[in-house]
Amino acid sequence: MTRNRCRLLVPLAGLLLSLLCGTARADDAAEQPAPDLGTMDLEQLTNLKVEKVYGVSKFEQVVTEAPASVTVVTSDEIRHYGWRTLADVLKATRGFFVTYDRNYSYIGTRGFNRPGDYNTRVLLLLDGHQINDVIYESAAIGTEFILDLALVDRIEIIRGPSSSLYGAGAFFGVINVISKSGKQLDGVEAAGSFGSQKSGSGRLTFGKAFNGGEFLVSGSRYVSRGDDRLFYPEFNDPATNNGMADNMDRDRNYSLFASGHLHDFTLTGALVSRDKRIPTASFGTIFDDPRTKSTDRRSFLDLKYDKAFEGTSVTARLFYDEYRFIGDFAYERGIDDPPFYPATYVNRDDHLARWWGAEAQASRQVLPRLQLTGGARFRDNFQLELPNVDLVPGGRSVENDHSDLFWALFGQAELRILDELILNAGVRYDHYETFGGATSPRLALIYTPVEGTVFKLIYGKAFRAPNAYELYYNDVFNGYATSPSLRPETVRTYEAIWEQYYGDVVRTSASLFYNKIDNLISYEDVSATQVAFANMERVKALGGEFEVEGQWNSGFSARASYSFVSARNDVTDQRLDYSPRHLAKLNVTAPLYRKKLFAGIELQGVSRRDFTHNDAQVAAGGYAVANATLYSTALLPGLETSVSVYNLLDRRIVDPATTDHVQNVIPQDGRTYRLQASYRF
């Protein structure tokens, strides 16, 4: 079966690439002949369209000189493809895939995905501010993400370990989201949408620039009833509503965002609150009980100072953050519960974290060919509360309060050995109260033999610190043993990249990588009724990625990619759970009328994912899915409208479930649609 899926996906990837290349050639020929690099003079060569990126080295540099494989997603792409969340963006990005358990979305990259681990191995930034919380270290990419996607200017997706600059969490990569500025908006924008599953949203944004500064404020609201008739055959019994979860998929959020810039200071604040019913009866909860739900509330304030002093750029940041998670889980009274308990009751996780910190960095060109960057970071997690209680008068409760500090120093040197050869070396030391220190180096050689051709060799080591949930969590059932001796996970990555630019419109990228992960943190059975987190697994992954993309003056753009990875659990010598070997992506934007009406088509292919579920070997089948969007600015000045259809062919798609579920796969949505409009004045 696996072989058959692969046979389907490989030709699909070939077909997608052929389609892209063929379409690209046809469109380019219509516009103008493709320039020949060999006949271009120096001025023409230096005018090649090369994107810039900030997040790789913490200063702005062209992508071709950045020591990483980078994808930059623009706000135009978000509109043209009708992407609703960061999860939608990552599904369309080379080497990434997403798993959804109808509560949270989980990031998979380069063959590694652990549904239920809350995205702890990818660092998520908003304007340089860390969004991962300090209890679960989770990177929220669904409707619980803190910024409305309509306020995103661009997203830098940086592959590979980046702990040499960012410390823990930048294990597989960094996602740096940059928001729009008040100057870009320059007025009021009102937006709204509605769609399938009785979904709707509204947003009001105001932005303005003035002498020496600018500001932007925005508020958003989203409500979705979700799929109100979800069927799970594992619960197909009259006692459990014949397997029907009625009105159990509700998803609601609201978010606020404000950012003001005055001279050298920028103050940013954001808040999101999201509650989601959980229809899958995970963790042994009562099936079809609306009391089972999760609520996430995330907020922060960030004051940044940014100034250049005689060739030295200085950035300093002071921040305050909060995160609260409330998880309500409805249970039937069991034989181990107190006899005075009612027949059913709710058990609650009410977790709260508050922290503040500061960081500073400086970057200077100390010699004509040498740029140095250095900095320090400090964070005080002064409130970490992980209580678990039964919402029953006189019921059981577990108090669980902690605090900790951490600090870090980092430095990076970029040496231009020759005009064509750059050496980039960085190292960071992080010190935690919980386990001590961790040192993370990164070394890269970047060779540009001719303009438009780039080779990169990169070695990096990164770590993920055990989080508060893994170290301290327990519940009233005493189902967890604390794990104070946990050590950090580490990954060593070796990567070779070849990027090629053809004229100023087409780019290809090919890379080979090898990841070796040690001390992977997983569940371990302590007894028949108790588990604990432990460093118990090792993983090796070998893979490659290829991508071709083009953008033409006509407005036509396309991007296609194929990824292959072989990931194995080094302890069991088995294929790694939840790991698809093949990913294929195609995104095409075509102007239909005077650059005012666009069609956006995307195809995504994911191969079969095998995994162990409750001691049985099972699989989530591979799939190919198509989405389509029509986007227009032609109706009225200032008015943008779009209509999107997701899962256009109504394919049946399932994602793997964790052992916290009775079911081994979680069905995903069939065909859905969304209509959206925004008006700027």
Side-chain angles (χ1 to χ4, degrees):
M1 186 66 177
T2 301
R3 184 171 298 175
N4 290 336
R5 293 290 185 187
C6 297
R7 286 174 179 169
L8 288 172
L9 281 172
V10 171
L12 173 61
L15 176 62
L16 300 184
L17 294 176
S18 301
L19 174 61
L20 170 63
C21 294
T23 309
R25 285 194 296 270
D27 187 85
D28 195 36
E31 289 297 310
Q32 58 182 8
D36 181 355
L37 281 178
T39 63
M40 297 171 70
D41 58 29
L42 181 60
E43 182 178 359
Q44 289 174 306
L45 287 169
T46 54
N47 285 335
L48 291 173
K49 288 181 180 177
V50 180
E51 293 167 311
K52 292 188 176 181
V53 62
Y54 177 87
V56 181
S57 299
K58 287 196 172 183
F59 61 80
E60 193 172 76
Q61 61 188 155
V62 293
V63 168
T64 51
E65 296 185 353
S69 173
V70 182
T71 295
V72 178
V73 177
T74 66
S75 57
D76 281 345
E77 291 177 277
I78 293 171
R79 291 193 293 265
H80 290 166
Y81 296 117
W83 291 330
R84 300 156 293 184
T85 63
L86 273 182
D88 283 347
V89 175
L90 293 176
K91 287 177 183 176
T93 302
R94 166 172 46 102
F96 282 83
F97 59 102
V98 173
T99 300
Y100 179 55
D101 67 358
R102 304 209 80 90
N103 191 14
Y104 297 106
S105 297
Y106 305 98
I107 301 171
T109 180
R110 295 189 163 180
F112 193 96
N113 174 237
R114 295 213 156 190
D117 77 349
Y118 308 115
N119 301 328
T120 59
R121 298 172 182 88
V122 174
L123 184 66
L124 179 59
L125 306 174
L126 173 57
D127 295 328
H129 183 94
Q130 180 173 326
I131 299 303
N132 302 63
D133 65 86
V134 298
I135 294 179
Y136 305 94
E137 298 287 350
S138 59
I141 61 170
T143 52
E144 71 278 15
F145 180 55
I146 202 165
L147 186 70
D148 190 312
L149 217 58
L151 300 178
V152 171
D153 179 53
R154 69 182 192 277
I155 304 170
E156 300 172 349
I157 300 170
I158 303 162
R159 299 170 183 81
S162 296
S163 288
S164 64
L165 278 179
Y166 293 101
F171 198 80
F172 286 125
V174 176
I175 300 172
N176 186 27
V177 179
I178 294 96
S179 67
K180 291 180 179 176
S181 65
K183 183 178 179 181
Q184 286 176 287
L185 187 64
D186 193 27
V188 178
E189 187 172 81
S193 73
F194 71 92
S196 304
Q197 302 177 345
K198 297 182 179 177
S199 300
S201 67
R203 175 178 57 84
L204 188 62
T205 306
F206 177 57
K208 195 70 178 175
F210 53 87
N211 186 24
E214 57 184 307
F215 71 94
L216 182 146
V217 294
S218 183
S220 302
R221 175 69 169 158
Y222 168 78
V223 177
S224 174
R225 184 162 179 158
D227 190 333
D228 54 8
R229 293 284 288 170
L230 285 167
F231 174 64
Y232 294 104
E234 296 82 0
F235 296 93
N236 190 5
D237 186 277
T240 50
N241 198 26
N242 296 309
M244 301 301 302
D246 292 330
N247 194 23
M248 282 292 297
D249 200 29
R250 190 190 69 191
D251 190 351
R252 306 182 300 191
N253 79 8
Y254 65 87
S255 62
L256 302 170
F257 178 78
S259 180
H261 174 76
L262 180 63
H263 300 298
D264 304 319
F265 292 90
T266 302
L267 179 63
T268 303
L271 177 149
V272 64
S273 180
R274 178 252 200 181
D275 71 88
K276 175 71 176 66
R277 286 181 180 167
I278 305 173
T280 55
S282 54
F283 301 102
T285 53
I286 300 172
F287 185 77
D288 195 33
D289 191 319
R291 293 176 294 176
T292 297
K293 62 180 181 179
S294 63
T295 303
D296 294 84
R297 191 170 301 142
R298 179 77 171 89
S299 60
F300 74 85
L301 277 175
D302 185 294
L303 179 63
K304 187 175 77 169
Y305 173 74
D306 196 351
K307 190 174 180 62
F309 296 96
E310 298 180 349
T312 300
S313 63
V314 175
T315 302
R317 190 186 294 272
L318 183 66
F319 55 85
Y320 171 80
D321 287 65
E322 282 192 11
Y323 172 66
R324 183 163 201 162
F325 167 75
I326 299 176
D328 287 342
F329 307 97
Y331 289 105
E332 293 179 344
R333 187 182 63 207
I335 57 175
D336 295 326
D337 293 327
F340 64 88
Y341 272 32
T344 66
Y345 65 96
V346 172
N347 174 265
R348 170 173 289 182
D349 281 330
D350 190 355
H351 299 169
L352 174 65
R354 292 190 171 103
W355 65 100
W356 74 277
E359 65 179 49
Q361 75 168 59
S363 183
R364 183 179 178 83
Q365 192 92 28
V366 296
L367 294 172
R369 291 181 177 272
L370 177 62
Q371 178 156 353
L372 295 180
T373 302
R377 181 180 172 88
F378 164 83
R379 191 177 70 201
D380 178 7
N381 304 326
F382 64 89
Q383 189 173 7
L384 293 171
E385 299 179 355
L386 294 87
N388 180 264
V389 299
D390 288 336
L391 300 185
V392 176
R396 298 166 297 192
S397 66
V398 173
E399 297 299 322
N400 206 344
D401 298 345
H402 302 271
S403 63
D404 60 54
L405 300 171
F406 110 96
W407 57 266
L409 300 172
F410 66 89
Q412 178 180 264
E414 184 184 272
L415 176 63
R416 193 173 292 272
I417 301 172
L418 302 169
D419 289 343
E420 306 84 6
L421 184 64
I422 297 174
L423 171 65
N424 188 296
V427 65
R428 170 163 165 153
Y429 176 78
D430 290 78
H431 185 84
Y432 285 76
E433 278 192 323
T434 49
F435 66 85
T439 303
S440 307
R442 182 175 66 183
L443 189 65
L445 272 177
I446 301 161
Y447 180 50
T448 309
V450 295
E451 194 73 35
T453 300
V454 183
F455 297 99
K456 300 177 181 179
L457 292 175
I458 303 169
Y459 164 76
K461 179 185 175 185
F463 76 102
R464 184 182 77 85
N467 57 49
Y469 175 71
E470 294 163 338
L471 288 167
Y472 310 124
Y473 181 73
N474 197 3
D475 55 26
V476 298
F477 313 108
N478 199 28
Y480 294 79
T482 58
S483 309
S485 61
L486 277 179
R487 305 293 300 170
E489 301 174 353
T490 60
V491 60
R492 289 177 172 82
T493 295
Y494 306 83
E495 183 166 10
I497 303 168
W498 172 29
E499 296 174 350
Q500 184 67 52
Y501 289 75
Y502 301 93
D504 58 355
V505 292
V506 176
R507 179 187 75 90
T508 62
S509 174
S511 62
L512 296 172
F513 61 86
Y514 173 70
N515 289 336
K516 184 174 183 298
I517 303 171
D518 290 311
N519 293 326
L520 198 61
I521 296 173
S522 300
Y523 280 131
E524 180 184 47
D525 290 331
V526 177
S527 67
T529 59
Q530 194 175 54
V531 298
F533 290 99
N535 299 105
M536 55 185 296
E537 292 187 86
R538 299 189 303 273
V539 172
K540 292 179 180 176
L542 177 66
E545 298 172 346
F546 177 76
E547 183 175 73
V548 55
E549 65 175 317
Q551 294 184 349
W552 287 263
N553 291 331
S554 63
F556 184 91
S557 67
R559 175 184 291 167
S561 68
Y562 169 73
S563 307
F564 169 82
V565 63
S566 173
R568 299 190 71 81
N569 186 321
D570 209 28
V571 174
T572 62
D573 196 29
Q574 299 291 317
R575 188 169 158 182
L576 187 66
D577 281 357
Y578 312 113
S579 178
R581 286 196 167 216
H582 308 274
L583 299 174
K585 315 285 178 71
L586 173 66
N587 285 67
V588 177
T589 300
L592 302 180
Y593 175 71
R594 295 184 178 179
K595 295 186 180 181
K596 291 181 177 293
L597 178 62
F598 291 86
I601 305 291
E602 57 180 344
L603 303 175
Q604 297 157 5
V606 178
S607 68
R608 169 189 173 118
R609 288 163 285 178
D610 295 286
F611 57 101
T612 302
H613 187 272
N614 294 330
D615 298 324
Q617 193 65 30
V618 294
Y623 65 86
V625 64
N627 306 317
T629 293
L630 278 177
Y631 166 80
S632 173
T633 59
L635 297 178
L636 288 171
L639 179 64
E640 298 180 3
T641 57
S642 67
V643 54
S644 301
V645 182
Y646 308 96
N647 194 357
L648 186 64
L649 302 180
D650 200 22
R651 298 293 302 272
R652 182 179 185 274
I653 299 171
V654 296
D655 276 343
T658 69
T659 53
D660 298 322
H661 298 82
V662 173
Q663 51 275 66
N664 55 42
V665 294
I666 305 295
Q668 304 297 297
D669 286 336
R671 182 169 47 236
T672 58
Y673 72 91
R674 183 186 69 166
L675 301 175
Q676 182 169 258
S678 67
Y679 182 60
R680 186 178 299 183
F681 54 97

